[in-house]
Amino acid sequence: MASSTKYIFITGGVTSSLGKGIIAASLGKLLQSRGFSVTIQKFDPYLNIDPGTLNPYEHGECYVTDDGAETDLDLGHYERFLNTSTSQSNNVTTGRIYNNVITKERKGEFLGKTVQVIPHITDEIKNNFYKLGQEGKYDVIITEIGGCVGDIESLPFIEAVRQARWDLGPNNFLVIHLTLIPYLKAAKELKTKPTQHSVKQLLEAGIQPDILVCRTEYHLPAEVKKKLALFCNVQLNSVIEAMDADTIYDVPLLMKKEKLDERVLSKLKLSSKQNTDLDEWKDFLGKLKNPTQEVTIGLIGKYVSLPDSYKSIIEAFTHAGASVECHVNLKLISSEEINLDNFKSKLSDLDGILVAPGFGERGFEGKIETVRYAREEKIPFFGICLGMQVAVIEFARNVLQLPNANSTEMDENTPHPVIDLMEEQKQIEQMGGTMRLGAYTCELKRGSKAYQAYGIKKVQERHRHRYEFNNKYLEQIERAGMLATGKNPDTGLVEIMEIKNHPWFVGVQFHPEYRSTVLNPQPLFVKFIEAAIENKKYK
């Protein structure tokens, strides 16, 4: 297969959650900073067609791309590090692969052949490996294989990687294996055996890793590196140490110090287009690590026991905080624990309050109490998706005096459905991939807080929801002081709600956190932090 695109595959061994996504994003950043155009894709070995129907406790947040794909949270890392958009093609699951093959089989496209894992499933996986490369836009495509080597569900992907080496040729193909070097306290030594076993499993599958990236809590002594090189059949200078870092944003610089990008360039026979330019990145890190002020912001949600459920929001605070040299001390508070009796004690020490997205009624009333407190006490408030809807419901109940106002998601028979299903959503029976998804235009009202943040009249933001503001109530709500300051120009659907007589009270129907990157902090998050800084002064 002739192609000028180079392909890097990243596999993981010993244990999951070692940070393949961060290593992929960091390597991508280093190659990008040398002038190469790079994209990263993730292949997930589970049978869901996409993560859209997964509970966040299962898999962290579901990340949404501009083109409306519900994807793995690692795509968020790719975008935040590379500052470029991903798409439906950047995240593929086993479910999608099998779905495609079975659909072809039902149409008779295999001409009566017996459909098998090899070659039919592996061919479909390879087609998806190469899809982005056929656009001719990328010099390098990094492919992260989810899960662990040795998992039954990963086998077809690993086999497809083995075949890819022969399709692409040795100078266009590279495997990086991410592994763990555990430290045994009792023996006071680092152990290489788990890595040896992991590489052995890769070798049994026909793949020789080119580079080992070793996650470790302690520096790897020279003799440990030598042992790994010898037993795992890799060059000594291709054993890369990946120590635990203070922040994920340190990892590109640590990988540069370890010369990961240089090893990759030499093995792929790529000559660097330019010297590494990481000045902006270093500037961001400098501000991140040397803040001049601090605020405490409460993130109120129902999945707080797994912070990955709010990964993009947490990272958006990191980017926006660094841009104004402010450390955001983020307190994750379960909305289920907030009620009429304790809301003051739970929320009184906060400089700003964010009510997070979510689905379903668990913890809903706690969010209502939170919004009421923020509105009445004039604390800067930011509501995202369900957070905006809660703000509208709280306003309808306590300002318009419609005590039973609700969303039809929480109460189908509410007499005042201020939040309701869109007409086209009412006919839908399947859950997966059927929400309003992806980027839509929002037109802002001049003079509004949102307009002041963005500084432009029209913005594009990403959505992931079924329920919308019910325009039948708009006039009544606006008369009482809550204004629709952002609308979709095509449908008239409300996108942003603000309260007039309040220092900073903004609810948005979209997910601004998906657009935040290291080099482009999301404007609403920046203004929200600035409002929290102001609020703290007057406490």
Side-chain angles (χ1 to χ4, degrees), residues 272-297:
S272 182
K273 296 192 169 188
Q274 62 190 47
N275 288 332
T276 324
D277 177 13
L278 290 168
D279 290 349
E280 281 184 285
W281 195 269
K282 287 174 183 166
D283 185 43
F284 158 76
L285 269 175
K287 287 179 175 175
L288 179 65
K289 292 182 174 187
N290 302 290
T292 56
Q293 46 208 345
E294 181 175 356
V295 291
T296 300
I297 286 174

Side-chain angles (χ1 to χ4, degrees), residues 125-402:
I125 292 170
K126 287 194 296 180
N127 290 342
N128 282 276
F129 282 168
Y130 306 142
K131 204 185 223 170
L132 287 164
Q134 284 152 3
E135 294 174 17
K137 287 185 352 198
Y138 302 109
D139 301 313
V140 180
I141 292 177
I142 299 172
T143 302
E144 179 192 340
I145 305 292
C148 258
V149 171
D151 295 350
I152 287 175
E153 53 263 41
S154 297
L155 285 173
F157 290 115
I158 298 296
E159 169 58 20
V161 172
R162 182 192 71 78
Q163 293 178 23
R165 174 168 220 131
W166 302 107
D167 292 348
L168 297 164
N171 296 338
N172 300 318
F173 171 97
L174 179 78
V175 172
I176 296 174
H177 189 55
L178 181 65
T179 174
L180 177 71
I181 308 292
Y183 179 77
L184 291 191
K185 279 201 175 128
K188 292 194 169 44
E189 61 178 339
L190 291 158
K191 288 294 183 186
T192 63
K193 193 60 78 182
T195 294
Q196 292 176 44
H197 281 303
S198 175
V199 171
K200 192 175 167 203
Q201 282 193 297
L202 255 189
L203 288 166
E204 280 173 11
I207 295 171
Q208 166 65 57
D210 299 284
I211 296 172
L212 283 184
V213 175
C214 306
R215 281 300 307 274
T216 170
E217 293 174 10
Y218 299 89
H219 279 295
L220 297 183
E223 65 269 20
V224 168
K225 282 192 171 185
K226 275 184 193 154
K227 190 173 177 183
L228 284 165
L230 179 66
F231 282 97
C232 299
N233 211 19
V234 295
Q235 289 167 303
L236 182 57
N237 61 3
S238 294
V239 178
I240 305 282
E241 173 186 286
M243 287 261 304
D244 291 358
D246 294 341
T247 152
I248 56 171
Y249 301 108
D250 280 325
V251 178
L253 299 180
L254 293 173
M255 289 301 100
K256 176 157 181 55
K257 205 169 154 193
E258 281 287 301
K259 300 188 165 52
L260 175 61
D261 53 335
E262 287 179 31
R263 298 307 303 141
V264 165
L265 292 175
S266 115
K267 284 180 180 295
L268 290 175
K269 305 240 180 308
L270 274 173
S271 51
S272 182
K273 296 192 169 188
Q274 62 190 47
N275 288 332
T276 324
D277 177 13
L278 290 168
D279 290 349
E280 281 184 285
W281 195 269
K282 287 174 183 166
D283 185 43
F284 158 76
L285 269 175
K287 287 179 175 175
L288 179 65
K289 292 182 174 187
N290 302 290
T292 56
Q293 46 208 345
E294 181 175 356
V295 291
T296 300
I297 286 174
L299 188 159
I300 320 299
K302 65 174 183 179
Y303 304 116
V304 293
S305 60
L306 183 75
D308 268 4
S309 307
Y310 303 111
K311 192 69 186 160
S312 292
I313 293 175
I314 292 167
E315 298 308 323
F317 274 121
T318 304
H319 310 149
S323 76
V324 292
E325 296 182 40
C326 177
H327 173 67
V328 177
N329 173 25
L330 205 54
K331 275 180 84 170
L332 273 63
I333 303 169
S334 168
S335 55
E336 288 179 87
E337 291 172 9
I338 297 172
N339 55 46
L340 259 175
D341 302 323
N342 69 7
F343 68 89
K344 262 203 167 132
S345 63
K346 292 262 183 202
L347 306 171
S348 59
D349 63 336
L350 303 174
D351 304 313
I353 290 172
L354 182 140
V355 173
F359 294 92
E361 57 187 319
R362 189 164 60 81
F364 185 70
E365 292 302 321
K367 288 182 177 177
I368 294 275
E369 281 313 312
T370 301
V371 173
R372 186 169 71 89
Y373 179 75
R375 179 177 60 79
E376 291 177 351
E377 299 296 322
K378 301 275 195 282
I379 293 163
F381 168 82
F382 194 7
I384 296 179
C385 199
L386 183 66
M388 177 202 108
Q389 298 175 0
V390 173
V392 169
I393 294 162
E394 188 280 326
F395 194 85
R397 286 183 188 179
N398 297 321
V399 179
L400 298 182
Q401 301 300 312
L402 305 172

Side-chain angles (χ1 to χ4, degrees), residues 15 35 48 67 99 101 114 150 178 197 207 254 264-265 275 330 378 393-394 427 454 472 476 484 508 524 527 538-539:
T15 162
N48 305 61
D67 65 352
N99 196 35
V101 170
T114 306
L178 181 65
H197 281 303
I207 295 171
L254 293 173
V264 165
L265 292 175
N275 288 332
L330 205 54
K378 301 275 195 282
I393 294 162
E394 188 280 326
Q427 318 311 322
Y454 285 105
K472 289 175 192 163
Q476 198 180 347
V508 297
L524 291 171
K527 289 294 178 198
Y538 298 112
K539 267 191 169 178

